[in-house]
Amino acid sequence: MTDTRPAPLTGLKIVEISAFVAAPLGSMTLAQLGADVIRIDPIGGNIDANRWPISDDGTSIYWASLNKGKRSVTLDLKSEEGQKIATDLIAEAGTLITNLPARGWLSYENLKQHREDLVMLRLGGWHDGSPAVDYTVNAASGFPIITGDDERPVNNAVPAWDVAAGLYISNGIMAAELDRRSSGKGQEITLALSDVMLATVGNLGYIAEVQATGKTRGALGNGLYGAYGQSFECADGRQVMVVVISNKHWRGLGKATGLSEKLEMIGPLLDVDLSTEGGRFEAREAIDAVVRPWFAAHGSEDAARLLAEAGVLVGGFQAFEELVNSDPRCSTENPMLTEIDQPGVGRVLATRVPLKFGGSPAADARPAPTLGRDTEAVLAKME
Amino acid sequence: MTDTRPAPLTGLKIVEISAFVAAPLGSMTLAQLGADVIRIDPIGGNIDANRWPISDDGTSIYWASLNKGKRSVTLDLKSEEGQKIATDLIAEAGTLITNLPARGWLSYENLKQHREDLVMLRLGGWHDGSPAVDYTVNAASGFPIITGDDERPVNNAVPAWDVAAGLYISNGIMAAELDRRSSGKGQEITLALSDVMLATVGNLGYIAEVQATGKTRGALGNGLYGAYGQSFECADGRQVMVVVISNKHWRGLGKATGLSEKLEMIGPLLDVDLSTEGGRFEAREAIDAVVRPWFAAHGSEDAARLLAEAGVLVGGFQAFEELVNSDPRCSTENPMLTEIDQPGVGRVLATRVPLKFGGSPAADARPAPTLGRDTEAVLAKME
């Protein structure tokens, strides 16, 4: 297309002083949308510089994956000189993201002296200031109790709160930027990881459910609450996930398995209305029992194909190795993925932002910098 | 404060035609940031109108929780007249979020005829157009294989991909709005739920890990990859999550438990460097074994208090009922939460956006509308 404009955040400059997942993900998202992000680390790197997984030569694959497309500057942040340079960089950029305690030179009050319309976002643990990470916030959320088959808590392997917090950070910066462009004013934004969790628990209805009904959901294994969904083991030992939400899906399940008549018998058997999501949820054990032998008699690929053809939502479970090595959706066939040369890691697939903009497209993925790569160039430009 | 400005997205108008979690969450996030969101549904409601959990009178707590602070208009979207009214509303608002297939009257090409600078975001399943929901995308992600204790897949109870997709949607709309305010032009944005998953798998390092090292992580139960973390059962039968990332945390674990000397013996025993995250990860089973009896001998509250005092990251697991009924962080003591009267549900706690803006604060939570509540008022204003 000849009609396209630069990526949407072109021109926005951001300094990041942070570590771990959430804050680096937030500023990487903004970089992927076109912003110029300088990550400042202490000399030798922040606490996440060497985090596992690491490549054969010890490079952190974790760090490289969460800092794609940024510039990297290292400074002695304990010295007055280092703090002065960082302050100048922040003042020039006009936007700061940090997960450090914003005290002393890094306080909003101080930095505002150097840049009147500064936008500064600070991520913390609990809203009362006590420290927290994804795993401890998750423990309090209620979700581990209903993950898996029984009441024993099971953590998500996906750090859902860190990911959501990262995306709230980029939301917050863009919202403040929209305000700044009309008001001419900056502001401090704070975000507690625990509030990201609480907001999500609330948005998904779990808070109001307890208050309105006095009860909540138990562990359902791989079942779906309030609708019909289940995982089944197939003849080849692999598992598939089946989801039935609409009546079209429900008819498809009967059609694909040839078990429509038996499935319909469950209605009068259990006195439930199988034309509703709630009715199918109440009848889930009977539905499981009727269709399970069909899965056991079919290979996972056949089962998934037959169900998909009949309009049922279905997906095979796979390990990361299979996703990366043999799923075409995780390859350059998918325009979201690009091959990059990542220093210390090698030639790997990298993702750009999943949003596809027709008018102002985001760039392909770019490698992460090596630690401190841009220090000299950035400092030379300041003098 | 007298110096505050309106919420950052005040003045932005959005029409939403969607269902389920991701798209409603995206536009609710924008509403929470100050945008005026009209959700249009078919008469009688979309497929998610009656979704569980439901209150005693059958009101969907799910729907109410995901549509807070919006206006609700119902139209016969299958009739030409209904489509014309919806088109007019979209043209007036200038921004559309949908998870319907954008064909016919709902195509970008058509709607652009009615509003030259339209911003339209369309959420789909897989990037190739095949249908998907959180659960089927999750199956493909690799995460269920490493959730829990063994190789049997375990789904997250938290719909992580839907939540992330919702937050990418609000990111996408704000990015396009920033572009529109400078270029004067709108655009179509597409987002595949599967790409949200793939981008996250990539951002967290799992894609590059497989490619660079040829291997990946197995199931670690409630353990932490690449650092030390574990859940322990305490004397009262309750579990706590303990996370050790920094050396300060590590010293704190020894101090709180009085087991510093034994913990240090693990270094020479297993030939690992316990002053690194990776070393502590390699030694995790021995660390588990040394500290487990201490947890078994302490109540969960005592254990958590002692560990927190010693600077260790710690959190007790709790069920939703406990979070809602007895955790002060999930109460109006936390400024993010407000009590609202939700029609059909009752007086419940509701969350606002977790971002706290110093200069242009977002409003307190507002109830969701009842289905179609605003139809008459909105239509009257158009004529």
Side-chain angles (χ1 to χ4, degrees):
Chain A
M1 282 186 278
T2 55
D3 191 26
T4 54
R5 307 179 293 282
L9 300 192
T10 305
L12 184 65
K13 290 180 177 187
I14 294 164
V15 167
E16 168 198 350
I17 309 180
S18 77
F20 300 129
V21 175
L25 175 63
S27 45
M28 183 167 75
T29 302
L30 296 162
Q32 290 174 319
L33 290 166
D36 174 15
V37 176
I38 296 179
R39 174 168 166 155
I40 301 180
D41 283 301
I43 290 162
N46 207 329
I47 186 168
D48 59 347
N50 302 304
R51 209 151 212 239
W52 285 28
I54 50 176
S55 69
D56 293 343
D57 83 352
T59 303
S60 171
I61 296 170
Y62 170 98
W63 198 93
S65 301
L66 283 162
N67 292 290
K68 296 192 293 280
K70 301 177 186 176
R71 291 193 283 165
S72 171
V73 167
T74 50
L75 297 170
D76 177 5
L77 290 170
K78 291 193 171 155
S79 75
E80 243 177 70
E81 199 202 338
Q83 293 174 2
K84 193 187 165 312
I85 298 171
T87 302
D88 288 347
L89 287 173
I90 293 163
E92 196 201 321
T95 303
L96 171 66
I97 296 172
T98 188
N99 67 343
L100 294 179
R103 287 190 292 255
W105 72 277
L106 203 57
S107 70
Y108 174 68
E109 290 65 32
N110 176 60
L111 293 170
K112 198 175 183 292
Q113 308 295 319
H114 300 269
R115 171 84 182 223
E116 176 60 29
D117 68 347
L118 178 72
V119 167
M120 169 169 171
L121 191 149
R122 189 160 51 82
L123 174 72
W126 284 95
H127 81 277
D128 61 10
S130 52
V133 287
D134 183 283
Y135 280 83
T136 55
V137 162
N138 191 46
S141 75
F143 280 110
I145 305 287
I146 65 161
T147 299
D149 288 310
D150 62 31
E151 300 278 301
R152 200 171 46 97
V154 176
N155 289 338
N156 309 322
V158 54
W161 313 118
D162 271 347
V163 171
L167 296 171
Y168 270 117
I169 286 171
S170 46
N171 270 293
I173 294 293
M174 283 193 277
E177 180 65 12
L178 281 160
D179 169 74
R180 179 163 60 180
R181 290 201 189 168
S182 60
S183 73
K185 292 180 179 169
Q187 58 187 310
E188 185 178 31
I189 310 160
T190 53
L191 178 65
L193 186 63
S194 62
D195 279 348
V196 169
M197 176 276 281
L198 283 166
T200 304
V201 172
N203 293 341
L204 295 171
Y206 288 86
I207 293 177
E209 181 181 11
V210 170
Q211 295 191 301
T213 71
K215 53 191 183 214
T216 185
R217 308 161 215 187
L220 290 169
N222 287 344
L224 220 71
Y225 177 78
Y228 181 71
Q230 192 54 275
S231 63
F232 291 99
E233 187 168 322
C234 295
D236 53 7
R238 299 180 62 90
Q239 300 229 2
V240 296
M241 183 73 208
V242 179
V243 176
V244 167
I245 294 169
S246 69
N247 288 329
K248 191 191 121 214
H249 301 151
W250 175 241
R251 288 189 300 271
L253 182 64
K255 197 178 150 199
T257 58
L259 294 165
S260 298
E261 277 181 42
K262 292 198 180 202
L263 288 173
E264 286 313 320
M265 287 164 65
I266 296 171
L269 179 74
L270 299 179
D271 290 320
V272 294
D273 179 358
L274 292 173
S275 72
T276 66
E277 279 186 279
R280 295 188 289 258
F281 175 66
E282 291 182 287
R284 63 192 179 278
E285 289 173 304
I287 301 172
D288 289 353
V290 168
V291 299
R292 188 174 283 114
W294 183 85
F295 287 94
H298 287 76
S300 57
E301 284 190 27
D302 275 353
R305 184 179 46 78
L306 290 166
L307 287 161
E309 282 170 5
V312 183
L313 295 162
V314 60
F317 286 92
Q318 61 186 352
F320 293 107
E321 294 94 318
E322 300 174 81
L323 173 69
V324 174
N325 293 329
S326 57
D327 190 331
R329 300 173 293 198
C330 183
S331 76
T332 52
E333 280 184 35
N334 180 342
M336 192 184 61
L337 290 122
T338 318
E339 280 203 329
I340 60 167
D341 288 307
Q342 180 61 52
V345 176
R347 191 149 182 87
V348 290
L349 281 168
T351 55
R352 56 173 187 76
V353 72
L355 296 154
K356 195 173 160 194
F357 293 85
S360 57
D364 279 346
R366 288 171 295 159
T370 50
L371 187 70
R373 182 195 66 185
D374 307 290
T375 309
E376 228 175 285
V378 168
L379 267 53
K381 229 176 144 186
M382 291 176 70
E383 283 151 0
Chain B
M1 282 186 278
T2 55
D3 190 25
T4 55
R5 307 179 292 284
L9 301 192
T10 304
L12 184 66
K13 290 181 176 185
I14 294 165
V15 167
E16 168 197 351
I17 308 180
S18 79
F20 301 129
V21 175
L25 174 62
S27 45
M28 183 168 75
T29 303
L30 295 162
Q32 290 173 320
L33 290 166
D36 174 15
V37 176
I38 296 179
R39 174 168 165 155
I40 301 180
D41 283 301
I43 291 161
N46 207 330
I47 186 168
D48 58 348
N50 303 304
R51 212 153 209 239
W52 286 29
I54 51 176
S55 70
D56 292 343
D57 82 352
T59 303
S60 172
I61 296 170
Y62 170 98
W63 198 93
S65 300
L66 283 161
N67 292 289
K68 296 191 294 279
K70 301 177 186 176
R71 292 193 283 165
S72 171
V73 167
T74 51
L75 297 171
D76 177 4
L77 290 171
K78 292 196 173 154
S79 76
E80 243 176 72
E81 200 202 338
Q83 294 173 1
K84 194 187 162 314
I85 298 170
T87 303
D88 288 347
L89 287 172
I90 293 164
E92 197 201 321
T95 303
L96 171 66
I97 295 171
T98 187
N99 68 342
L100 294 179
R103 288 190 293 255
W105 73 277
L106 203 56
S107 69
Y108 175 68
E109 290 67 33
N110 177 60
L111 294 170
K112 196 174 185 289
Q113 308 294 321
H114 301 270
R115 172 83 184 225
E116 176 59 30
D117 68 347
L118 178 72
V119 166
M120 167 170 173
L121 191 150
R122 189 160 51 83
L123 174 71
W126 284 96
H127 81 277
D128 61 11
S130 52
V133 287
D134 182 282
Y135 280 83
T136 55
V137 162
N138 190 46
S141 75
F143 280 110
I145 305 288
I146 65 161
T147 299
D149 288 311
D150 62 32
E151 299 279 301
R152 201 173 44 98
V154 176
N155 289 337
N156 311 321
V158 54
W161 312 120
D162 272 347
V163 171
L167 295 171
Y168 270 117
I169 287 171
S170 46
N171 270 292
I173 294 293
M174 283 193 277
E177 180 65 12
L178 281 160
D179 169 74
R180 179 162 61 180
R181 291 200 189 170
S182 59
S183 72
K185 291 179 179 170
Q187 59 187 312
E188 186 179 29
I189 310 161
T190 53
L191 178 66
L193 187 63
S194 62
D195 279 348
V196 169
M197 175 277 281
L198 284 167
T200 305
V201 172
N203 293 340
L204 296 170
Y206 287 86
I207 293 177
E209 180 181 12
V210 170
Q211 295 191 300
T213 70
K215 52 191 187 217
T216 186
R217 309 161 215 186
L220 290 169
N222 287 344
L224 220 71
Y225 176 78
Y228 182 71
Q230 191 55 274
S231 63
F232 292 99
E233 188 167 324
C234 295
D236 52 7
R238 299 180 64 91
Q239 301 229 3
V240 296
M241 183 73 209
V242 179
V243 176
V244 167
I245 294 169
S246 68
N247 287 329
K248 190 190 121 212
H249 301 151
W250 175 241
R251 288 189 299 271
L253 182 64
K255 196 177 151 201
T257 58
L259 293 165
S260 298
E261 277 180 43
K262 292 198 180 203
L263 288 172
E264 287 313 320
M265 287 163 65
I266 295 172
L269 178 73
L270 299 179
D271 290 320
V272 294
D273 179 359
L274 292 172
S275 72
T276 66
E277 278 187 279
R280 294 188 289 257
F281 176 66
E282 291 182 286
R284 63 193 179 277
E285 289 174 303
I287 302 173
D288 289 353
V290 168
V291 299
R292 188 173 283 116
W294 183 84
F295 288 94
H298 287 77
S300 57
E301 283 190 28
D302 275 352
R305 185 179 46 77
L306 291 166
L307 286 161
E309 283 170 5
V312 182
L313 295 163
V314 60
F317 286 91
Q318 62 185 351
F320 292 108
E321 294 93 316
E322 300 173 82
L323 173 69
V324 174
N325 293 330
S326 57
D327 190 331
R329 299 173 294 198
C330 184
S331 77
T332 52
E333 280 183 34
N334 180 342
M336 191 184 62
L337 289 123
T338 318
E339 279 203 330
I340 60 168
D341 289 307
Q342 180 60 52
V345 176
R347 192 152 181 87
V348 290
L349 281 169
T351 55
R352 57 172 186 75
V353 72
L355 296 154
K356 196 173 161 193
F357 294 85
S360 57
D364 278 346
R366 290 170 295 159
T370 51
L371 187 71
R373 182 196 66 186
D374 306 290
T375 309
E376 227 174 286
V378 168
L379 266 54
K381 230 177 145 185
M382 291 177 69
E383 284 151 359

